[in-house]
Amino acid sequence: MRAGQKMYDQNGKQVALFPLEGFHISQTDYGTASHGGGAVYWATDYLGWNSSGRVYRDPCYAPVDIKLIFKNQTNATAVWESLEKVHLANGMIDYLTLTCYHDDDLENNTYYPVGTIKRQGEEFFKTGNGGHSTGDHLHLETGYGKYTSSSSPSAGDPEYKFHITDYT
């Protein structure tokens, strides 16, 4: 998607758009690096990309109207949840939850405060190298349903209470 882009279905629900304008996938579910190890792990790593090639600190745009509900400076993690039920890529109508990793602003503690709202098409994240990362990218986990806990069972990782699903 592009800055300022918005989309609604025939019933007036926001349609969840992909947050980067262009990308290359560097690692998928069950990848060979950090997504490996045999555990069920639903995440994809995206490199910022445009017609000129690789883009560093590439802006990500809110796929729908979202609110920041959890962040962790050490892991450079932010969890955003849609304000309303939206039209998801798989055709479902439900809440969209996004867990994003590696924006340098999170690690530097210059990121948005919890409770910040971003409207569809507004910048809310950038690819980066913050936290535990081997290079500039967006590590994205998506789910449907509401995130119900901002408590952390260990090491500052959010406790997931929504259904994981692939964006792609």
Side-chain angles (χ1 to χ4, degrees):
M1 73 180 295
R2 297 186 239 330
Q5 188 174 356
K6 298 178 185 327
M7 184 180 282
Y8 296 88
D9 69 11
Q10 66 276 13
N11 297 313
K13 295 276 185 201
Q14 285 186 323
V15 174
L17 301 174
F18 190 78
L20 286 167
E21 186 171 344
F23 64 89
H24 276 214
I25 295 174
S26 64
Q27 186 175 196
T28 61
D29 308 330
Y30 307 107
T32 57
S34 61
H35 300 182
V40 175
Y41 197 74
W42 298 102
T44 304
D45 289 349
Y46 299 93
L47 305 177
W49 210 269
N50 66 23
S51 60
S52 300
R54 183 84 152 88
V55 179
Y56 294 88
R57 299 292 291 145
D58 199 16
C60 303
Y61 303 105
V64 294
D65 293 347
I66 53 177
K67 180 178 183 179
L68 181 61
I69 57 173
F70 175 87
K71 69 177 181 177
N72 179 286
Q73 181 179 351
T74 303
N75 294 336
T77 307
V79 179
W80 294 82
E81 181 179 87
S82 63
L83 299 179
E84 303 288 335
K85 289 184 176 184
V86 298
H87 196 132
L88 302 170
N90 63 4
M92 290 178 57
I93 305 295
D94 206 337
Y95 289 91
L96 172 65
T97 301
L98 304 163
T99 304
C100 306
Y101 291 79
H102 305 309
D103 188 330
D104 298 341
D105 293 339
L106 277 156
E107 187 175 65
N108 299 332
N109 202 26
T110 57
Y111 196 66
Y112 309 108
V114 170
T116 297
I117 292 174
K118 292 291 182 173
R119 300 293 175 188
Q120 188 175 41
E122 291 181 347
E123 186 178 313
F124 79 104
F125 206 81
K126 289 181 183 170
T127 62
N129 196 33
H132 309 291
S133 169
T134 57
D136 183 283
H137 69 283
L138 164 65
H139 172 110
L140 180 63
E141 301 171 20
T142 61
Y144 62 92
K146 291 192 90 151
Y147 179 96
T148 60
S149 174
S150 61
S151 65
S152 172
S154 65
D157 291 331
E159 178 184 351
Y160 298 112
K161 299 251 183 182
F162 59 90
H163 304 281
I164 302 294
T165 184
D166 272 335
Y167 220 115
T168 54

